[in-house]
Amino acid sequence: MPSPATDPHRLDRRRRVRRHGTFAAVLVVGLVVMAGAAYLFSDVYAAVTDDESIALLDQPTLRLAMQARSPWLDTALTVYTNVAGVIALPVLGLLVVVVLAVRRREWVPIVLGLSAGAGSLLMTQAGKELFGRDRPPMSDAVPPYETSASFPSGHTLNATVVVGIVAYLLVLRQTRRSMRALTITAAAVFALTIGLSRVYLGHHWLTDVVGAWLLALAWLAELVVAHRIWLRLGRPDQDEESE
C-alpha cells in the first residue's frame, strides 16, 4: 500500500487543490488591483480637475525637479525617456513577444502583447483628448518641448504597460523565485524611473504620471485576469504555474 506521500491519488488531489488555489488567488488579487487602481485614478482625476489633494504637489515637485537639474543629467534623462517613446520601446516589446511566441509555438504572447499595446495607446489618446490638460510651461521644461495634452503621461503609461506585460510573460516561464523577483523588480524600477524622468524634465506634472501608473496597473491586471480565465476555461487540467 503506497504511503500518503507517494499515493498517486493523493498527489493528484493536491495538485488540483494547488491549481484551484492559484487560480482563485490570481483572480481575487487581479480584481482587487483593478478596482483599487480605478478608484485611485478617479481620485487623481478629481484632484486634477479641482486643483486639490495630490494636485497640490504638482508645482512644488516641478520646482524641486528644476533645482536638481544639471546639463549632464538633463541629457542623460532625455535619452533615457526617449527609450519609452513611440518607436523604441514598442519595437523592443514586440520583438520580445515574437521571440517568446516562436519559442513556445503559440500565439498567446503576441495576442497579449498587441492587446496591451493597443489598449495603452487608446487610453493615452482618449485621455489626452478628454482631459485636455496643459503641460508645465515651456520655460520650466527641458527641450525638446512637447505640445500635446499633458494628462495622462503617454510615455509613463505605455512604458509601464509594455514592460509589465513582457515581465508577466517572462515570469510565466521562469521556475526560480529569484529570477521572478528580479524580473518583476526590474520592470517596476523601469516604469517608476520613466515616470519620474517625465517630471524631472518638466514634460509632465506629477499627477499626469501618477494617473498613468494607475491606468497601466488597472489595464495590466485586467489582461492577466483575462489570460488566467482563458487558461482555466481552455485547459482546466494543466498546471497554470507552468504557463
Side-chain angles (χ1 to χ4, degrees):
M1 181 177 181
S3 67
T6 59
D7 186 346
H9 297 293
R10 288 175 178 265
L11 292 175
D12 183 63
R13 283 196 297 271
R14 288 176 183 174
R15 283 194 292 267
R16 288 179 179 274
V17 169
R18 181 166 59 88
R19 286 197 297 268
H20 293 323
T22 300
F23 173 73
V26 171
L27 187 62
V28 170
V29 171
L31 292 174
V32 168
V33 170
M34 274 192 288
Y39 175 78
L40 291 175
F41 176 80
S42 67
D43 277 356
V44 172
Y45 168 64
V48 169
T49 303
D50 299 331
D51 196 23
E52 61 181 13
S53 184
I54 189 174
L56 296 177
L57 297 176
D58 282 340
Q59 289 285 355
T61 304
L62 177 59
R63 289 196 296 269
L64 185 64
M66 293 172 65
Q67 293 172 5
R69 288 176 188 165
S70 64
W72 73 268
L73 190 55
D74 293 355
T75 301
L77 288 183
T78 297
V79 173
Y80 181 64
T81 197
N82 285 339
V83 173
V86 296
I87 297 178
L89 189 62
V91 170
L92 289 174
L94 182 60
L95 179 61
V96 171
V97 298
V98 168
V99 170
L100 291 174
V102 171
R103 292 186 61 182
R104 299 182 192 183
R105 296 185 178 137
E106 61 180 12
W107 289 94
V108 172
I110 293 178
V111 172
L112 278 176
L114 291 179
S115 298
S120 176
L121 289 174
L122 181 61
M123 286 188 290
T124 298
Q125 294 303 318
K128 289 181 180 296
E129 291 183 11
L130 178 63
F131 302 124
R133 189 187 195 190
D134 292 334
R135 290 178 183 265
M138 288 187 180
S139 58
D140 295 338
V142 175
Y145 305 114
E146 300 181 26
T147 57
S148 61
S150 191
F151 187 88
S153 166
H155 280 68
T156 305
L157 176 55
N158 296 325
T160 304
V161 168
V162 171
V163 76
I165 202 65
V166 167
Y168 172 67
L169 290 169
L170 291 175
V171 164
L172 289 179
R173 286 294 177 176
Q174 292 171 339
T175 56
R176 295 174 57 186
R177 291 185 178 179
S178 59
M179 286 303 300
R180 289 182 172 184
L182 179 61
T183 299
I184 294 171
T185 301
V189 169
F190 180 75
L192 178 67
T193 52
I194 285 293
L196 294 179
S197 73
R198 305 302 291 165
V199 177
Y200 171 89
L201 295 171
H203 295 172
H204 283 285
W205 303 105
L206 175 64
T207 43
D208 300 334
V209 170
V210 173
W213 280 331
L214 292 171
L215 278 179
L217 191 59
W219 180 228
L220 285 171
E222 185 173 345
L223 289 170
V224 170
V225 167
H227 181 226
R228 306 319 285 185
I229 291 175
W230 176 81
L231 287 176
R232 174 58 54 178
L233 295 178
R235 288 173 282 183
D237 295 327
Q238 185 164 334
D239 188 351
E240 293 179 1
E241 291 183 355
S242 64
E243 279 301 313

